[in-house]
Amino acid sequence: MKRLSKPRPRRAPPLGLALDPQSAEPLHRQIGEQMRRAILEGRLKPGTRLPSSRLMAQDLDCARGTVVLAFDQLVAEGYVVSHAGSAMSVAADLPDEMLTVPRIGPSPPRSTAAKPAVARRARALLADAPSPAPAGPPLAFPTGQPDREAFPFALWAKLLEREWRRPGVEGAGAVHPFGHAGLREAIAAYLGVARGFTCDPGSIIVTTGIRHGLSLFAEVALDAGDTAWIEEPGFVGVREALSTAGVRAVPVAIDESGFAPEAALARAPEARLAVVAPAHHFPLGTVLGLQRRLELLSWAERTGGWIAEDDFDGEYRYSGRPLPPLRSLDRAGRVAYFSSFSKLLFPALRLSFLVLPPSLVEATEQIMDRVSVRAPLLGQGALARFIAEGHLASHLRRTRQLYAGRREALLDAAARHLDGLLIVAPDPGGMHLIASPTPRLGPRFDDVVVTAAAAAAGLIVQPLSVCYAGPARRHGLILGYAGTPEAEIDRAVLKLRDVVLGATGQLRRGLQR
């Protein structure tokens, strides 16, 4: 019996050529122009052998004579050379100046001033952008970075494997727009034990961070053009999230007791939202007292306003008992609660969550996919197991002790090495400290300049001044210690001293006497 040969699969058109039979330009010119551009752009290197005219005609579904005509023109122009008894190739002796793409159309008019490549709004963001991070891992002091060595990645890998070995509907099917059901149930149980309030798992939305969660909440709870109070100074991402939702942010200066509702009402009585971090303000670390918490809740209940509570690092407190979250005191259902796992576990996780007020759950569920993207599903199932099996609670106990030691090491090193330059105030919670210039150094201290100099020296610090929305700005450095090994802190503070002295060189001589 004669064996039937398998049909040979059709090869893709060689060299990326594509012909348009409907074009007014002849096919041979289309071939020649596309090959010419491939040579000039460097996609076809000098000396490269070309397919035979027969093969090219077969793959391009055109007459062989069409390809031959194109080759003849390329040979005449010097782009292609013909070898006796062998295939053609790209000319090997093309001058370097030819290997650029010729400009098509008239040249743009010359201008004495080059137009910026980015738009005005992008330039405004760049003005407040932090200095580029140094190449490689920084010596110290990145803000909001947990200790990656302390996280049990081997355990995490096992949880991921268990979740994805046989993924069910939750893993690989149609998931609820709010996120993995198991994760939302685990979060609700964790909040009841660790943060002292109960909530329905159905009111929890898994997000990628405060920007994502707050902009989503604002889209549902507020109209474009509405006003929101924000803390001054505060996290830049809050302003950005509100701007994305078309909400006008009004900064309200905090004092030693935190956010002041009375001052906020005087600034913008029409506000419909207050965005606060009552457990541990970023960046100054103040804690909102009970009296002001009750005043804020009374305002929301009386006016129908909303409160967005950012509890980004409330789990880290090293002395005393933290006050309960605003959400636990909320009787009228006006508080949306935000928190993050990325700061507790590892930054690349990119998983946070939002607990909606009950009255907004149904509407948000219906319009979620129209006003927001969903958080990535990868990792949600593993995180659900991590919480439910008690690993999160164990990890927080270990890292509280670890970070408390690093906090003390930073305070001790600052007292020994930064005397006369920077004052580092203790903070009973969080993952960073504020270093403020001494009165003597203050008039010449520019935290943005110092931040840039620190980056060049391998230190990551954040300028305090960029946390302000208004013109009145306090200068200082935000020093994250959670992600800096204790053994490196003393050396890093010594280097920071040299950086500050170098950036404020006019005071060097006087300060060293």
Side-chain angles (χ1 to χ4, degrees), residues 42-413:
R43 289 183 283 116
L44 282 178
K45 304 295 183 185
T48 300
R49 286 187 172 272
L50 300 173
S52 68
S53 58
R54 180 189 58 79
L55 182 59
M56 284 189 66
Q58 178 183 345
D59 286 336
L60 290 172
D61 196 20
C62 66
R64 184 181 180 187
T66 300
V67 178
V68 171
L69 191 59
F71 273 175
D72 288 346
Q73 183 62 34
L74 291 170
V75 170
E77 294 173 356
Y79 291 99
V80 172
V81 294
S82 177
H83 303 281
S86 64
M88 294 187 175
S89 64
V90 178
D93 55 354
L94 292 174
D96 292 339
E97 59 268 19
M98 285 186 63
L99 304 181
T100 57
V101 183
R103 183 181 298 278
I104 299 176
S107 299
R110 294 192 176 187
S111 173
T112 54
K115 186 176 180 179
V118 297
R120 284 191 298 273
R121 58 184 175 183
R123 295 200 298 275
L125 292 174
L126 288 170
D128 287 335
S131 300
L139 176 63
F141 296 98
T143 305
Q145 297 284 325
D147 186 277
R148 289 183 287 277
E149 296 297 324
F151 184 74
F153 281 104
L155 169 64
W156 181 255
K158 292 179 181 178
L159 295 176
L160 281 172
E161 182 184 6
R162 283 164 56 188
E163 183 67 20
W164 287 95
R165 187 184 297 120
R166 289 179 176 272
V169 174
E170 278 289 289
V175 182
H176 192 280
F178 285 5
H180 191 288
L183 176 56
R184 291 186 290 137
E185 290 170 3
I187 291 172
Y190 170 78
L191 291 174
V193 174
R195 304 304 289 147
F197 71 89
T198 59
C199 64
D200 187 332
S203 67
I204 296 173
I205 305 177
V206 182
T207 67
T208 61
I210 183 65
R211 289 177 177 85
H212 179 199
L214 184 56
S215 62
L216 166 62
F217 174 71
E219 287 273 4
V220 178
L222 303 180
D223 290 320
D226 281 349
T227 299
W229 296 323
I230 63 172
E231 295 171 317
E232 173 81 331
F235 178 50
V236 175
V238 167
R239 305 198 303 261
E240 295 171 349
L242 293 174
S243 176
T244 299
V247 174
R248 185 174 74 96
V250 174
V252 178
I254 69 164
D255 55 28
E256 64 279 358
S257 299
F259 184 85
E262 185 177 351
L265 282 167
R267 284 222 61 193
E270 76 282 4
R272 295 195 56 220
L273 170 67
V275 185
V276 293
H280 185 246
H281 170 266
F282 181 87
L284 300 183
T286 55
V287 176
L288 191 62
L290 180 60
Q291 182 61 38
R292 287 190 174 178
R293 291 174 183 234
L294 295 177
E295 290 175 8
L296 194 56
L297 288 166
S298 176
W299 163 82
E301 185 173 352
R302 184 178 66 253
T303 64
W306 301 100
I307 300 170
E309 179 180 15
D310 184 7
D311 194 17
F312 63 98
D313 63 0
E315 285 84 354
Y316 289 114
R317 192 163 185 85
Y318 312 112
S319 62
R321 289 183 59 83
L323 289 171
L326 277 173
R327 176 74 182 224
S328 67
L329 303 173
D330 180 23
R331 300 172 304 179
R334 310 306 299 179
V335 177
Y337 179 89
F338 300 78
S339 190
S340 170
F341 292 110
S342 301
K343 290 183 173 63
L344 305 181
L345 305 181
F346 57 96
L349 183 62
R350 300 300 299 165
L351 290 178
S352 300
F353 65 91
L354 152 64
V355 184
L356 286 169
S359 61
L360 296 180
V361 173
E362 184 178 353
T364 306
E365 184 176 342
Q366 292 178 14
I367 67 173
M368 171 79 179
D369 286 332
R370 297 176 59 188
V371 300
S372 175
V373 297
R374 301 188 186 191
L377 184 62
L378 183 64
Q380 290 191 34
L383 181 56
R385 295 175 185 267
F386 190 80
I387 299 171
E389 295 175 9
H391 304 301
L392 175 62
S394 299
H395 177 72
L396 290 176
R397 284 195 296 270
R398 289 193 306 271
T399 51
R400 277 192 202 102
Q401 183 176 1
L402 179 66
Y403 298 167
R406 293 179 178 183
R407 170 181 168 273
E408 292 304 314
L410 177 55
L411 288 169
D412 178 67

